[in-house]
Amino acid sequence: MIELKELIRALRRGAPDNLRCLGCGFEHSCGIHGCRVMKEAASRLEHLQTAAYRIRKRYDFAKGAEKSILGEVLNLLGEGDHE
């Protein structure tokens, strides 16, 4: 599995390259700064990465039911292995 940090970096690298445009329907929103869809995907992944970090920090101090719930959330975010 590709690390989230690497995926974000790859999306940002590809975003300015208009030669890769697949005609997704959002091309009217692209410009000199690149593909809107790829930039948006990278931004949302960064947001999820930050949220996962905060949840992991809370998980480290949680107990009982809260720890169980936070563990499930981390699994859904692909941040397993927290035992």
Side-chain angles (χ1 to χ4, degrees):
M1 182 183 285
I2 299 173
E3 289 288 323
L4 191 53
K5 192 183 302 184
E6 292 175 42
L7 182 59
I8 292 167
R9 201 171 319 145
L11 283 168
R12 292 218 183 272
R13 253 194 330 266
D17 190 351
N18 289 332
L19 298 175
R20 296 182 195 184
C21 183
L22 302 175
C24 68
F26 291 101
E27 57 271 3
H28 63 279
S29 298
C30 299
I32 61 170
H33 299 294
C35 175
R36 175 182 175 207
V37 172
M38 291 179 76
K39 291 188 313 184
E40 182 71 21
S43 293
R44 290 186 184 202
L45 286 172
E46 283 177 330
H47 179 74
L48 287 173
Q49 185 179 39
T50 300
Y53 174 81
R54 290 179 179 157
I55 292 168
R56 178 171 295 285
K57 288 297 180 188
R58 181 151 183 182
Y59 173 88
D60 290 342
F61 296 101
K63 293 182 170 102
E66 182 183 22
K67 189 164 193 128
S68 177
I69 292 168
L70 292 174
E72 291 296 321
V73 172
L74 288 169
N75 284 333
L76 289 171
L77 292 172
E79 297 287 324
D81 287 349
H82 39 267
E83 291 286 332

